Amino acid sequence: MKLEDLKKIREKHQKDMILRDGDARVRVVVGMGTSGIAAGARETLRAFLEEIEKRNIADVIVTQAGERGLSSHEPIVTVLEKSKPNIVYGNVTADVARKIVAEHIVNGSPLSDYVLEVSE
Amino acid sequence: MKKRLDVLVCGGAACIASHSQDFKNRLIEVVKDHDLEDEINIIETGCMGPCELGPVMVVYPDGAFYIRLKPEYAQRIVEEHFLKGRPVEEFLWQAPEARKIVEEKRQIPFFEKQHKVVLENCGRIDPENLNEYIGNDGYQALARCLTEMTPDVVIDTVTSSGLRGRGGAGFPTGLKWKLARRSAGDVKYVVCNADEGDPGAFMDRAILEGDPHSVIEGMAISGFAVGASRGFVYVRAEYPLAVRRLRRALEQAREAGLLGESILESDFSFDLEIRIGAGAFVCGEETALMASVEGHRGMPSPKPPYPSEQGLWEKPTVINNVETLANLRHIILKGAEWFAAMGTAKSKGTKVFALSGNVTNTGLVEVPMGITLREIVYDVGGGIPGNKALKAVQTGGPSGGCIPAEHLDTPIDYESLAELGSIMGSGGLIVLDEDNCMVNMAKFFLEFCVEESCGQCSPCRIGLKQMLRVLERITRGEGRLEDLDDLERMAGTIKATSLCGLGQSAPNPVLSTLKYFRDEYEAHIREKRCPALVCTDLITYTILADKCTGCTACARKCPVNAISGEVKKIHVIDQGICIHCGACFEACKFDAIERR
Amino acid sequence: MFHTEAHAPENRHYEQLREFIREQIDKPGPLIQVLHRAQEIFGYLPMEVQDFVAREMNIPHSEVYSVVTFYNFFRTEPIGDHIINVCLGTACHVKGAQLILDALADELDIHVGGTTEDRFFTLSTARCFGACGLAPAMMIDEEVYGKLTVDKARKAIREFRKTTEKK
Ligand SMILES: Cc1cc2nc3c(=O)[nH]c(=O)nc-3n(C[C@H](O)[C@H](O)[C@H](O)COP(=O)(O)O)c2cc1C
Ligand code: FES
């Protein structure tokens, strides 16, 4: 890799371009560190994928990340949407995950009871 | 035949009154225009309920709920949603609180007081995707070092930032590098200490799992600075996920040419290897760690020589902790002044603490040095559950100590913690409340160190064992008051004469609890009583005659048949037989058993 | 005590190990990594395996033995098919890890360090998996279970057995 390549990749993947593929409107980031997994993040991830598939939604991507720190509220999930603040959810069991898909991702109403943090 | 989408347009009276028919007819036209009749099923339903929002429509399978529809919306809904699968947000229903959340619930206090530098990427980026790391300024710091800086300038920058090692001792990182750079020889090594032996600390694991490239980049920077072309990461075997993510990251970095020969077309070549530990706490100590990397028993060796002079295979070696390394890229990119502006006079930057034990919010907390324990426990941590009183905060793991509630307002840095008889250590913070026995805690850490002593030097091997015997005696109620002075004396000798940091610091938990909680020790000795009701041998169970119903539940549970009494008559525990297991206490449904 | 008898090279496990040793032998200080691999292959490190490693690496058996016995992670006794490690680290200790351990010993009817009669589970202890925020914690093979209660721990191992046996 050359210096220019590094620069190019950087520009293409800048923070605000997290929704990299132009097609995606929403990105769901599931915390999959040891704490998350110990609290059931694998089931949460599976629930997101199944629910999105079941509802046949095309413009959502689901990715994994490490942990945000707040172990006691794992599994932790962040929902990123184009030109909206990021919403961090805590205690996202598989059931809550399905609700997030139905209410937040499809209908744009975040689930206030589970919101931990709203950030830019 | 099942169609791709079911579109339910409300045909209830209220919606019809708000012209739902016009919308429906227009929708049918647009669908026809786009040749979608075979794929889309438009159905008129009865009243759906939210009449004041009409006309309404629901699309399945995704479940999108549209409100206040007008005929002119049909075109966009068909083109965006039905064709491309993206619901048209501005026409969708949003719960009234949806917008409010964004305004009101900005942050819970857990996040508010934190200042994320090292943990910035953790939980945000995909650790298995190199591009995301690069998109967050990844490898920019290394690039800057290679293209704009000389090794000496890099060392100067790190020195003037004031960065000190996050692995425990707080040694200035820049100075360590300078010494290694100055050491003679062509072959030098850098090592990342990811052994994280303090049971109760997990920041290094989280960094390796959540942002492995930041550690790789940090190691490359340190390799460039000291003149090493080869490095090792020593990770403990208990962290399989961290090892997997790190492995993956190494492969990607190699593939992208960010590790290997002539990195970014410079003349700097550098590569890394992972070494997996095998479960020995002492291997976190740097000389023991090097012995283990070399494939031997992890026995520490006396210093000097220091690793910076003679380390791995007797070559100059720099050993840094994971968190130390993860700080480097930020210092290079944002500058030494930026870093030095955070923290206290002698401890700069942020520190990640692992908050656990009896506290509401547990987890990793990154705060500027100099914050108080009270802020961490009460503001960030949300206080103690069940309104219990905080007794102490344990810091520094088996090498540290217990800080009592009266010192919660001390700003924490390397120096202030040492003054209080504890250490910063790797940053484990375990909150203890009124239900924790301090003598038991001291015994717990001592047991740990006795098990983990490598056995090489006698003060540590024999001395710690003797101290443990005394503590065991005290927790059994067989202690003598002189024992306390004996403990202090032995502790002093062991600290002064042990070969490595393990023995030199192992008496700390005993010393600090003796200093702040001597009354608890005395209660165990004089009154044969454990005030927190933890030490089983000192707990007495008695049956309260006025509450006992003679149900026999306790007698049936007792494993040693210490309880006698006839059905429906008052039962009695024979204290001579009782083994204090508490089975009767758990079994009694009438609160008739007293625990003291 | 030491087996010197050469092992049949057709033994697939020894072949696997031999290959790994060949890959590693030129790297600096490979012994611990070789022993990790050997334990992965054989489940534990009996004298025969240690001896094999010594011969293949051309080092004294005493050196292999000294390393094996120094590190907690290496086992010289066989274990069951799955290993349960209950964390006894500080955070877990404070949150009652001992009760979890006692309950599992009772559930499986074995002592700590023991293996069930059907060789399915071995019950052991560890010092911190870094899941301290979810204390008390345990690990079954490589999967961590957090926020345990006595009941949750019992249920987890019953379910683990059910789902694993089905496969
Ligand atoms: C008994 C003992 C255990 C240690 N364990 C660790 C550890 O697990 N992780 C770590 O980074 N440093 C540990 N250290 C400190 C290391 O010896 C060394 O100081 C450190 O890795 C240097 O890196 P730093 O300057 O970046 O902190 C330990 C020290 C002692 C005496
Ligand atoms: S102390 Fe048990 S996981 Fe850390």
Side-chain angles (χ1 to χ4, degrees):
Chain A
M1 179 180 299
K2 294 183 193 160
L3 211 53
E4 291 84 77
D5 302 332
L6 193 64
K7 223 177 262 162
K8 265 186 233 145
I9 299 178
R10 175 165 167 256
E11 263 145 41
K12 210 171 135 210
H13 296 273
Q14 287 271 310
K15 264 182 217 150
D16 38 330
M17 302 264 301
I18 297 175
L19 298 162
R20 331 158 250 189
D21 313 316
D23 289 349
R25 172 178 62 94
V26 183
R27 175 172 174 197
V28 178
V29 181
V30 183
M32 296 279 280
T34 293
S35 302
I37 294 173
R42 280 197 218 286
E43 282 89 75
T44 304
L45 181 74
R46 204 171 310 131
F48 271 112
L49 294 173
E50 281 168 10
E51 195 64 20
I52 288 165
E53 157 111 34
K54 201 169 90 197
R55 290 171 181 265
N56 209 355
I57 311 172
D59 54 358
V60 179
I61 49 172
V62 181
T63 61
Q64 62 165 350
E67 55 197 87
R68 269 186 181 261
L70 188 50
S71 316
S72 43
H73 292 57
E74 294 277 3
I76 291 179
V77 169
T78 311
V79 178
L80 308 149
E81 281 178 273
K82 267 186 192 155
S83 58
K84 279 196 189 169
N86 303 332
I87 296 197
V88 183
Y89 287 107
N91 299 310
V92 185
T93 57
D95 279 343
V96 177
R98 284 187 275 269
K99 270 197 208 147
I100 290 176
V101 175
E103 291 176 31
H104 182 164
I105 296 176
V106 175
N107 282 312
S109 307
L111 274 67
S112 54
D113 289 351
Y114 296 92
V115 175
L116 295 179
E117 189 189 18
V118 179
S119 65
E120 301 316 317
Chain B
M1 199 192 78
K2 176 106 184 79
K3 297 192 179 178
R4 188 165 61 84
L5 294 178
D6 285 323
V7 176
L8 278 58
V9 184
C10 182
C15 282
I16 289 185
S18 54
H19 311 289
S20 66
Q21 295 297 335
D22 297 347
F23 172 75
K24 189 181 131 202
N25 294 337
R26 177 73 191 128
L27 190 69
I28 292 172
E29 272 172 43
V30 183
V31 166
K32 227 182 239 160
D33 290 347
H34 288 81
D35 280 335
L36 290 172
E37 298 123 290
D38 291 344
E39 294 177 40
I40 289 168
N41 206 6
I42 299 178
I43 309 159
E44 189 172 305
T45 68
C47 179
M48 292 192 204
C51 307
E52 70 286 0
L53 301 175
V56 301
M57 163 175 94
V58 189
V59 183
Y60 287 109
D62 55 25
F65 192 75
Y66 288 97
I67 59 167
R68 301 210 174 95
L69 289 162
K70 296 194 176 130
E72 54 270 34
Y73 297 172
Q75 186 83 19
R76 270 185 67 198
I77 292 177
V78 171
E79 282 171 4
E80 288 289 312
H81 188 168
F82 296 2
L83 270 175
K84 297 184 194 152
R86 301 177 198 155
V88 185
E89 221 167 294
E90 39 183 303
F91 308 149
L92 285 172
W93 176 78
Q94 296 209 318
E97 74 266 35
R99 302 225 180 273
K100 255 196 354 224
I101 288 175
V102 177
E103 276 131 41
E104 281 172 12
K105 229 178 171 173
R106 294 310 289 191
Q107 277 188 336
I108 69 162
F110 180 83
F111 294 105
E112 215 166 41
K113 284 224 166 172
Q114 295 198 52
H115 187 79
K116 298 209 175 178
V117 176
V118 171
L119 294 183
E120 187 188 48
N121 281 341
C122 286
R124 289 188 39 242
I125 68 164
D126 183 347
E128 298 193 4
N129 187 332
L130 173 60
N131 288 340
E132 286 194 22
Y133 179 67
I134 295 177
N136 284 277
D137 296 336
Y139 290 106
Q140 297 294 323
L142 178 62
R144 179 171 298 175
C145 289
L146 297 182
T147 53
E148 298 166 27
M149 297 165 93
T150 64
D152 287 324
V153 173
V154 175
I155 293 179
D156 285 345
T157 307
V158 174
T159 307
S160 57
S161 75
L163 175 66
R164 296 169 64 177
R166 302 300 194 231
F171 194 82
T173 306
L175 180 58
K176 192 186 275 192
W177 290 10
K178 192 180 265 171
L179 294 171
R181 176 154 188 86
R182 254 203 251 136
S183 293
D186 294 339
V187 180
K188 293 177 185 173
Y189 295 107
V190 293
V191 176
C192 168
N193 188 344
D195 197 46
E196 194 151 60
D198 170 5
F202 52 103
M203 57 287 288
D204 295 350
R205 172 186 66 63
I207 294 169
L208 287 175
E209 283 175 5
D211 196 15
H213 285 286
S214 70
V215 180
I216 298 175
E217 186 175 1
M219 288 192 74
I221 293 171
S222 87
F224 173 73
V226 304
S229 56
R230 185 146 190 191
F232 293 89
V233 188
Y234 188 85
V235 196
R236 70 202 310 246
E238 288 86 344
Y239 289 174
L241 185 62
V243 171
R244 258 194 314 258
R245 297 247 166 96
L246 182 63
R247 244 192 211 129
R248 182 109 191 78
L250 282 178
E251 283 163 20
Q252 291 168 345
R254 265 186 215 123
E255 240 165 70
L258 293 162
L259 282 179
E261 302 291 316
S262 311
I263 296 170
L264 295 171
E265 298 183 306
S266 69
D267 50 14
F268 176 62
S269 302
F270 184 76
D271 210 341
L272 281 178
E273 216 177 285
I274 301 179
R275 287 296 159 106
I276 298 172
F281 172 68
V282 73
C283 286
E285 195 280 336
E286 53 193 16
T287 58
L289 184 147
M290 292 189 302
S292 187
V293 170
E294 291 176 8
H296 309 303
R297 311 179 73 156
M299 295 282 209
S301 48
K303 293 184 271 193
Y306 290 94
S308 52
E309 302 153 4
Q310 266 183 48
L312 275 177
W313 296 285
E314 297 181 354
K315 307 292 183 206
T317 302
V318 163
I319 301 191
N320 278 126
N321 164 266
V322 171
E323 190 186 334
T324 314
L325 291 164
N327 266 301
L328 291 171
R329 68 184 195 104
H330 300 282
I331 294 176
I332 299 293
L333 286 181
K334 295 177 204 149
E337 297 74 37
W338 163 82
F339 191 80
M342 296 181 286
T344 63
K346 287 187 178 164
S347 305
K348 302 299 187 189
T350 62
K351 176 78 194 87
V352 182
F353 291 99
L355 191 60
S356 65
N358 294 316
V359 60
T360 305
N361 300 328
T362 57
L364 293 177
V365 175
E366 183 170 4
V367 286
M369 294 270 194
I371 193 172
T372 66
L373 277 177
R374 185 181 305 283
E375 287 172 279
I376 295 183
V377 174
Y378 286 95
D379 298 345
V380 181
I384 321 287
N387 272 332
K388 295 215 169 123
L390 178 139
K391 191 184 268 183
V393 179
Q394 207 282 335
T395 77
S399 314
C402 293
I403 297 170
E406 67 254 33
H407 289 300
L408 278 187
D409 291 312
T410 316
I412 37 183
D413 62 15
Y414 292 100
E415 279 70 29
S416 65
L417 287 177
E419 256 161 52
L420 291 173
S422 187
I423 59 164
M424 175 83 75
S426 49
L429 285 186
I430 293 163
V431 181
L432 306 172
D433 69 12
E434 53 194 84
D435 292 340
N436 293 116
C437 167
M438 302 312 285
V439 186
N440 172 277
M441 285 311 293
K443 187 173 117 214
F444 168 83
F445 284 118
L446 213 50
E447 267 169 5
F448 180 92
C449 290
V450 165
E451 266 173 45
E452 296 296 337
S453 169
C454 78
Q456 207 180 171
C457 71
S458 25
C460 175
R461 182 184 68 238
I462 304 170
L464 292 179
K465 187 107 191 192
Q466 291 308 318
M467 284 182 72
L468 179 59
R469 276 209 189 135
V470 175
L471 278 181
E472 281 170 350
R473 218 163 53 215
I474 295 176
T475 53
R476 275 200 311 269
E478 297 160 10
R480 299 173 304 234
L481 274 178
E482 312 86 84
D483 283 344
L484 301 185
D485 296 332
D486 280 350
L487 279 175
E488 272 170 341
R489 228 192 33 248
M490 286 192 272
T493 312
I494 295 168
K495 274 173 78 95
T497 56
S498 289
L499 185 145
C500 86
L502 194 155
Q504 288 159 13
S505 61
N508 287 350
V510 180
L511 287 176
S512 76
T513 47
L514 268 172
K515 177 169 167 193
Y516 297 116
F517 300 96
R518 206 175 181 98
D519 55 327
E520 273 194 45
Y521 281 86
E522 288 177 358
H524 284 73
I525 296 171
R526 277 189 224 259
E527 303 163 39
K528 317 237 168 289
R529 186 172 68 84
C530 174
L533 298 174
V534 172
C535 300
T536 37
D537 286 334
L538 301 183
I539 302 174
T540 333
Y541 294 92
T542 36
I543 296 178
L544 301 171
D546 55 330
K547 286 196 178 159
C548 179
T549 63
C551 73
T552 74
C554 58
R556 277 180 279 131
K557 279 277 172 180
C558 180
V560 291
N561 292 324
I563 305 180
S564 56
E566 285 168 39
V567 184
K568 302 218 172 140
K569 298 243 170 78
I570 294 163
H571 282 51
V572 197
I573 301 176
D574 185 335
Q575 298 299 338
I577 305 176
C578 175
I579 55 164
H580 321 275
C581 71
C584 54
F585 184 79
E586 302 295 331
C588 182
K589 292 195 185 70
F590 306 98
D591 292 332
I593 296 182
E594 187 187 38
R595 196 161 85 125
R596 258 190 312 147
Chain C
M1 179 181 173
F2 299 114
H3 281 253
T4 44
E5 181 190 349
H7 279 274
E10 63 265 20
N11 187 320
R12 152 179 81 85
H13 289 146
Y14 282 104
E15 250 337 293
Q16 248 176 303
L17 183 57
R18 177 173 288 138
E19 195 157 306
F20 185 79
I21 292 174
R22 259 191 223 128
E23 283 166 27
Q24 298 290 315
I25 197 80
D26 292 328
K27 292 194 183 166
L31 178 55
I32 293 176
Q33 310 309 310
V34 167
L35 292 173
H36 269 300
R37 184 78 189 109
Q39 184 158 293
E40 251 172 54
I41 296 172
F42 293 92
Y44 71 118
L45 300 170
M47 279 298 176
E48 298 90 285
V49 172
Q50 293 180 36
D51 193 38
F52 178 83
V53 169
R55 274 183 291 116
E56 289 292 316
M57 292 182 68
N58 208 9
I59 53 176
H61 186 142
S62 59
E63 191 178 330
V64 177
Y65 184 75
S66 81
V67 169
V68 169
T69 50
F70 182 82
Y71 294 99
N72 293 329
F73 198 79
F74 296 132
R75 297 181 289 262
T76 52
E77 296 293 325
I79 54 158
D81 296 338
H82 304 281
I83 183 158
I84 305 171
N85 272 301
V86 177
C87 176
L88 295 182
T90 320
C92 293
H93 172 76
V94 169
K95 293 287 226 174
Q98 190 62 44
L99 297 176
I100 307 288
L101 185 61
D102 293 346
L104 292 187
D106 173 69
E107 171 82 26
L108 299 169
D109 199 18
I110 49 178
H111 288 290
V112 176
T115 299
T116 52
E117 226 159 68
D118 61 359
R119 309 213 63 79
F120 191 81
F121 278 130
T122 295
L123 180 63
S124 186
T125 61
R127 300 275 201 199
C128 193
F129 319 119
C132 328
L134 295 163
M138 69 174 176
M139 212 163 174
I140 305 183
D141 297 335
E142 290 202 346
E143 190 82 14
V144 179
Y145 295 70
K147 285 195 187 169
L148 292 175
T149 58
V150 165
D151 288 341
K152 259 175 85 178
R154 283 182 194 261
K155 231 172 92 194
I157 59 171
R158 278 180 217 153
E159 266 169 30
F160 181 89
R161 189 192 275 271
K162 243 200 275 162
T163 49
T164 317
E165 278 173 350
K166 239 190 260 160
K167 285 180 202 160

